[in-house]
Amino acid sequence: MIVEVSEKSLLKKFSDNYKNTIFLKLLEKADAKKEKNTNTDYFSSFLHFFYKEKKKSRIHFSLYDFFLQKNQDIKKLNNVNNSDEEMEKIIRIKMESSIYNTCNILKYRIDKFGLSTPNIQRIHNFNRILIELSGTKDIQKYFTKKG
């Protein structure tokens, strides 16, 4: 089974300004590009459309405007300025960290089942996680919420 971490959801989570019309427009454009090619790097598409929109817009805006408050902690630690390039790096680091943490959480939870040699690994450079549970016939029982 392959689990995909939603980069769109991560961007919304990291943003203070996720209801901003420009931000939402950029997400829509990145969605459309991702639909055409599922192997597209969502954040790179978002950035492509961000820079394109910024160039043609009469309104001055930056990535800093979308991701200001929720990233203050990282900026303080790294003495980061408010350039788009620096914010781009910060968001990439946060996205990578979130995907890595998701993979570790899945490993921890699956290990609790006591299955022999489960293989849980991130698919390199993607937001996808491969889960192989050898000898398991009904994989749904491990991923269906019991209430």
Side-chain angles (χ1 to χ4, degrees), residues 3-43:
V3 176
E4 187 169 297
V5 178
S6 169
E7 293 166 290
K8 179 180 182 176
S9 295
L10 289 176
L11 287 176
K12 283 182 164 183
K13 178 183 172 183
F14 301 152
S15 175
D16 304 306
N17 217 347
Y18 64 90
K19 292 184 180 181
N20 176 291
T21 54
I22 296 171
F23 184 76
L24 293 173
K25 181 179 173 182
L26 298 173
L27 291 176
E28 284 176 22
K29 288 181 177 188
D31 284 342
K33 190 168 184 180
K34 184 82 172 177
E35 264 183 45
K36 289 179 186 173
N37 181 357
T38 57
N39 290 327
T40 299
D41 175 9
Y42 190 89
F43 187 52

Side-chain angles (χ1 to χ4, degrees), residues 16-119:
D16 304 306
N17 217 347
Y18 64 90
K19 292 184 180 181
N20 176 291
T21 54
I22 296 171
F23 184 76
L24 293 173
K25 181 179 173 182
L26 298 173
L27 291 176
E28 284 176 22
K29 288 181 177 188
D31 284 342
K33 190 168 184 180
K34 184 82 172 177
E35 264 183 45
K36 289 179 186 173
N37 181 357
T38 57
N39 290 327
T40 299
D41 175 9
Y42 190 89
F43 187 52
S44 293
S45 295
F46 175 87
L47 291 171
H48 167 77
F49 294 118
F50 167 80
Y51 287 115
K52 198 173 177 180
E53 186 70 28
K54 185 174 179 173
K55 196 173 190 177
K56 74 176 188 178
S57 179
R58 292 183 183 146
I59 304 167
H60 176 72
F61 60 92
S62 68
L63 286 174
Y64 190 77
D65 296 327
F66 298 137
F67 301 102
L68 171 66
Q69 293 299 319
K70 290 189 178 179
N71 298 290
Q72 287 295 329
D73 54 334
I74 294 175
K75 284 186 280 192
K76 286 176 189 170
L77 289 174
N78 297 323
N79 294 322
V80 174
N81 62 34
N82 63 350
S83 73
D84 288 332
E85 292 78 20
E86 289 296 328
M87 286 305 296
E88 197 176 311
K89 288 177 191 174
I90 290 169
I91 300 306
R92 280 200 189 279
I93 289 167
K94 289 187 80 156
M95 290 181 85
E96 285 297 314
S97 176
S98 293
I99 296 167
Y100 177 80
N101 288 339
T102 300
C103 189
N104 283 337
I105 289 167
L106 286 169
K107 284 179 185 178
Y108 172 76
R109 290 182 180 175
I110 289 171
D111 281 346
K112 284 180 138 183
F113 290 117
L115 299 171
S116 62
T117 63
N119 179 24

